[in-house]
Amino acid sequence: MATRDLKTVPTDVPLTPDNIDRLAARAAELAAAFKRKIGKLQQQVADASGNINRDAQGIVQDADPADRAAAHRLAKNKANRSIAQFRRNIVASSHTDRQQILDQFAKTAADAEFQLCSHG
């Protein structure tokens, strides 16, 4: 996505139905992009959680029957730590992408506010 200078607001943009429609379309496009991005991240977390939980179940099933209760506790704790770490990592690694979309939302909102304030 192209970067935008959020410090400049055009002063010669007339408040017309076309410009309002353009801003609304841009906001809808950004909302859809953000929804897709968040959906992909949620799917990655769900997939990782499923894999981690399957691995934990395998550990329990492979344990001797007498040791299964202890294996279950250990596997559950390990799975919870792994899922929490995966979530922290994915939040950190996706920060820039998410911030870019949110910055574009801010620009679109500023454009809309400018048009309303300058012509209202």
Side-chain angles (χ1 to χ4, degrees):
M1 293 181 199
T3 58
R4 297 176 190 243
D5 183 2
L6 299 177
K7 296 178 184 172
T8 60
V9 178
T11 57
D12 59 346
V13 178
L15 184 62
T16 65
D18 286 342
N19 284 337
I20 293 169
D21 289 344
R22 181 185 55 80
L23 286 170
R26 180 68 179 144
E29 175 186 319
L30 289 170
F34 196 69
K35 182 178 179 180
R36 282 190 306 272
K37 182 64 166 170
I38 296 301
K40 287 177 185 177
L41 294 173
Q42 289 173 329
Q43 187 60 50
Q44 287 176 336
V45 170
D47 292 346
S49 295
N51 291 337
I52 291 167
N53 286 324
R54 277 189 295 283
D55 290 345
Q57 288 173 352
I59 291 169
V60 173
Q61 290 173 351
D62 291 343
D64 290 329
D67 297 331
R68 282 204 177 138
H72 177 73
R73 285 190 301 275
L74 290 173
K76 183 177 178 182
N77 287 337
K78 181 181 176 189
N80 287 340
R81 284 192 309 272
S82 295
I83 291 168
Q85 183 62 43
F86 185 84
R87 285 182 177 162
R88 284 190 294 274
N89 290 344
I90 202 164
V91 166
S93 68
S94 67
H95 175 76
T96 301
D97 290 340
R98 291 180 291 113
Q99 190 62 50
Q100 286 176 343
I101 294 172
L102 292 175
D103 289 348
Q104 291 180 24
F105 267 127
K107 171 67 170 115
T108 300
D111 288 349
E113 183 176 1
F114 172 78
Q115 286 196 12
L116 288 174
C117 291
S118 65
H119 296 87

